Structures are given as structure tokens and as C-alpha cells.
Amino acid sequence: MPTPRAPAPMTNSWTTRPETADDVSAIREVNLAAFPTAAEADLVEALRASDAWIEGLSIVTEDPDGTVVGHALLTRCRVDGAPALALAPCAVLPRVQESGVGSAAIRAGLEAARANGENLVLVLGHAEYYPRFGFTPASGFGVRASFDVPDEAMMALALDPDAETPRGTIAYPAPFGRVG
Ligand SMILES: CC(C)(COP(=O)(O)OP(=O)(O)OC[C@H]1O[C@@H](n2cnc3c(N)ncnc32)[C@H](O)[C@@H]1OP(=O)(O)O)[C@@H](O)C(=O)NCCC(=O)NCCS
């Protein structure tokens, strides 16, 4: 009899949920593994301790065993003084990258933000990745960074396409450092 093949990894088997106090060290590990330095792991912790933190908008992706394998974070920033959200960082354990883990966390984070009545979301990142969630260049919203960045890398998304969005320069919360 032929040996049964192991099932192919399912890209839709990831579950997402807001972080709890028990996830703090796993989230740090995911960020340490995903990025070359500890900067993003430290950023998450500094944001968690800041007034930019919004409960329910730090999302983890779990594998079928309940292990945290991905993370996406939305925190408060401002555009021309009006509230907006910054999506950063997004991180996935290298062993499961490119299997839907990051997308699951980001989609869940955006849905949670929409449910909270949030509208404008900004992300600075890979111009090939974020458009799949609806992000387009922030310049099209009249929104810009206070530092030099390629136009296509600073992106924005309006969760409510019928509502007005603020225009102007992004003010990041202090933990983002020089970009703040
Ligand atoms: C970027 C990251 C969060 C994406 O999460 P993921 O679970 O690996 O990606 P998903 O499975 O959701 O999506 C896969 C798609 O993303 C694309 N992608 C993954 N990493 C990418 C990158 N660094 N740049 C551009 N596209 C990327 C893949 O090419 C794939 O595209 P396709 O669907 O057109 O084939 C994750 O790969 C990661 O942690 N990378 C290292 C840290 C990082 O760069 N974070 C983002 C900072 S902006």
C-alpha cells in the first residue's frame, strides 16, 4: 500500500486573537526572530508601556498547537493632530513566513480597528506587500512623513472610505524615536 502523504500545510488554518498578558514573551521572540536586531522587539515593549497603546489592537497569529507564530501591532499616531493608527511592526517566525501568518494578523488587526471606529491607518514598509490589504501611497491622501522616505513605502488605508481623513504630516508616538 502507498504510504499516505503528510497533508500540505493549510494557509487558512491560522487563528488570530488580541494579545493577552501571557503572550508578551512570545511576541518578543517572534519579533527577535523576524528582524535582524532587537529594535522592533524593544519598540513593541516601549509602545505597550506608552499612551499610544490601544487594547485589542495587538494581534497574534497562533498555529494549530496554540503557539504564537506571528504578530501585528496597531498603535495611535496623529496626522495634523487628528487620530490615526500606525501599523508596525509586523513579524512572523521565519519557519512559517509566506504561509499566510502575517496576512492573518494584519487582516484581524484592521478588522478590530474598524470595529473600534478607527479610520486612517498608516504603514511604512514593503510596497509589494501592503497593497494586498488595500494600502495605497499615503501621498494620495495628502499624508506625508516628517523624514525622507520613498513615496511608495509610506502607505495609507481608510477603513471607512466614506469618511474624511486628515491631511498633513504624521506624528509618531515617542517610542518610534527619530521618526516621532
Ligand atoms: C513581512 C512579513 C510580516 C509577511 O508575513 P508572512 O506571513 O511571511 O507573509 P504572508 O504569507 O502573509 O504573505 C505572503 C506574501 O508576502 C510577500 N512577502 C513576504 N515577505 C515580504 C517582504 N519582505 N517584502 C515583500 N513581500 C513580502 C510574499 O512574497 C508573498 O507574496 P505573494 O502572496 O504575492 O506570493 C514576514 O515575512 C516577516 O516577518 N518578515 C520579516 C520582518 C519584516 O520584514 N516585517 C515587515 C516590516 S515592513
Side-chain angles (χ1 to χ4, degrees):
M1 265 181 64
T3 314
R5 277 193 180 185
M10 287 176 57
T11 54
N12 60 355
S13 64
W14 309 115
T15 58
T16 58
R17 57 175 177 75
E19 75 160 57
T20 69
D22 291 342
D23 298 317
V24 168
S25 64
I27 289 171
R28 182 167 181 84
E29 290 309 313
V30 168
N31 280 275
L32 286 174
F35 291 99
T37 74
E40 285 77 9
D42 292 345
L43 173 61
V44 171
E45 290 178 3
L47 285 167
R48 196 182 280 114
S50 79
D51 60 6
W53 191 261
I54 301 171
E55 286 303 320
L57 297 188
S58 173
I59 305 292
V60 296
T61 307
E62 285 182 339
D63 73 7
D65 298 332
T67 304
V68 172
V69 291
H71 177 237
L73 179 60
L74 291 145
T75 54
R76 175 67 69 224
C77 66
R78 296 200 172 262
V79 173
D80 192 29
L85 293 175
L87 172 59
C90 301
V92 172
L93 287 181
R95 66 178 168 82
V96 288
Q97 283 179 5
E98 306 212 8
S99 55
V101 170
S103 296
I106 292 167
R107 290 211 166 88
L110 294 174
E111 276 314 309
R114 195 194 315 270
N116 278 5
E118 298 285 348
N119 189 13
L120 185 65
V121 184
L122 302 160
V123 66
L124 174 60
H126 307 300
E128 309 81 31
Y129 185 58
Y130 293 98
R132 72 192 62 209
F133 308 107
F135 286 92
T136 56
S139 56
F141 289 77
V143 172
R144 61 191 167 273
S146 63
F147 48 92
D148 279 341
V149 57
D151 186 60
E152 66 276 12
M154 179 55 76
M155 291 167 271
L157 168 67
L159 295 170
D160 177 356
D162 297 327
E164 275 201 36
T165 51
R167 304 167 73 85
T169 304
I170 306 164
Y172 284 96
F176 281 92
R178 68 171 185 87
V179 301

